Amino acid sequence: MRPLSRAPPRSVRATHLTQTHPPDQRPHLADVLIRRGQCDAKTLERARQVAEENGENLAGVLVKLGLVGERGLAEAYGAMLGLKLVPSDGYPAEPVMPERLKAAFLRQARAVPLAAGNGNLLLAMADPLDSFTAAAVAAATGCAVNTQVALPVELEQALDRLYPDANPEGETPGADAAGAEALEDDAERLKDLASEAPVIRLVNQMIARAVESQASDIHIEPFEDRLRIRYRYDGMLHEADSPPKRLAAAITSRVKIMAKLDIAERRLPQDGRIRLAVRGQDVDFRVSTVPCLYGETVVLRVLDRNAVTFDYANLGLPPAIVARLSKTFELPNGIVLVTGPTGSGKTTTLYTGLLGLNSIARKIVTIEDPIEYQLRGINQIQVKPQIDLTFANLLRSILRQDPDVIMVGEIRDLETAQIAVQAALTGHLVLSTLHTNSAAASITRLRDMGLEDYLLTAVLRGVLAQRLVRRLCPQCRRQAPADPELVRRFALDRRTEARPVMLWHPVGCTHCRSTGYRGRKAIAEYLEPNAAIEHLVFERADQSRIERAAIEAGMVTMFEAGMTAALAGETTIEEVVRSIRAEA
């Protein structure tokens, strides 16, 4: 039988094709989408008109316009046809029947064979309604074809991994290692290589995978023998399939072109921003490049507003802290601080508070470095130190704009702290962040910067310290009696009445990428200065004494909050200790 290398003629029929539903008994895709609540009749009618005008497929138009996500469409296909979705780890390690099914055809058909045996072949398809492709595969292999629904971004990744040498455009994506080194010395030739279709497609797939799988960052790291690609999920990095090392310079240059950076400058760090329509939705990316030993390492921070919910409950903050924090945000003046290390969700917490304050009656101005998300109705200003547009200078200027609420991205020095205090004293509410390990440490940090004690006690209204811990996947978490050593070390028997003391543990499944964790939640402590704490500030007491006074006043520490979350099955003790770096 001749191998299938291109689309067969329409006369080919699948005599062995398995169908879950006869075509005349299938529910319509539109009905399934409406029933699942993924779009309404008005939206579908609008998409139908666009499809008719452009001669396109309705499903493709829905995704292109961002009216339905790719995962939502795949799930609708599965519900409509009674088919399973291919799990992310369900693709084979090696090509299936490569002598019969050629890469060019599979790319064109957007299909990947998953397994074959006993006269049956399991086929992953991005469009399971494409009966012609299934029939062609059946005719070429002589197997009965059963289909599963594939998420397009995962299917494309599988095609690139399984058929790395396939190039539908017939272009040569790169030369040998010596040629690549020569290209690195020629900016114009490098720009040409970065503009070739294979490199563009590779970078687009990398970005689409990050958005579709809800990664927070993409790390592109060149080494001597390979180019490593990693995605950050829930604060942890996971390695992905690596593209050929010879394409490292071209991939970096492609990202720099998209971010409007200088591709000829490879000696200095650069920062930029990309705005793209990815799978039908607008997504921003913050780009950072830094020179390293074997080229440039590139990090793209994914700023997908659709994937972020500015809601305290979604953050995981307990109602008691939310109530106290919200009450503080309603004060007419003063300073409210959110502290924690980089990546602890400080900006998200402040954005949530700002959106709650946003109204016609208030003028809100933010000074940020960088601006992560654009907030409707709020004046956001980007710091630019290279032209002396610093936090301090901007803060000094915007006070003349008569704002009610000011958010300063970070208090980094005494000058910024002094101007923030002056703004608070003159009737403004100032929100800002600090990099400290606890709420009490924020007071000593400001004092160490040189801020006078009497000013600090006059303006400080509250300090929220937080960390992000990974949530246990609710689909696969497992409960078991706690190890006696853990019970003793963390005094778990005093924190719960259950006997034996039970803890939840990660397992791993397709819902959580086999990590055992899915999403993150905040654990936090909130310090509200009182007379006793003010007295300790004037005494220049250390942070441990201030923290003890806050606990006596009712503050629940982050560590206690973390232990409570672990006993409730929301996270694990290992996560709490890793996040807070605390010892019992």
Side-chain angles (χ1 to χ4, degrees), residues 223-287:
F223 292 95
E224 183 179 14
D225 56 346
R226 67 187 182 117
L227 178 66
R228 183 168 70 178
I229 306 296
R230 294 192 290 176
Y231 297 88
R232 190 181 293 279
Y233 298 105
D234 301 329
M236 303 295 285
L237 285 168
H238 298 264
E239 190 164 355
D241 296 326
S242 299
K245 173 67 171 69
R246 66 176 183 272
L247 294 183
I251 289 171
T252 300
S253 296
R254 176 61 191 165
V255 174
K256 291 169 78 171
I257 288 170
M258 296 169 74
K260 297 181 175 58
L261 302 178
D262 183 1
I263 68 168
E265 180 55 77
R266 297 189 289 275
R267 302 165 303 167
L268 297 173
Q270 296 187 68
D271 295 295
R273 203 177 184 99
I274 301 172
R275 168 164 286 187
L276 288 177
V278 180
R279 310 294 186 185
Q281 60 191 38
D282 287 333
V283 181
D284 286 346
F285 300 85
R286 201 172 76 214
V287 180

Side-chain angles (χ1 to χ4, degrees), residues 398-416:
I398 65 172
L399 287 176
R400 306 187 191 103
Q401 296 271 313
D402 189 31
D404 297 290
V405 180
I406 304 167
M407 187 192 101
V408 181
E410 183 185 347
I411 294 178
R412 298 177 178 172
D413 51 48
L414 177 60
E415 185 181 12
T416 305

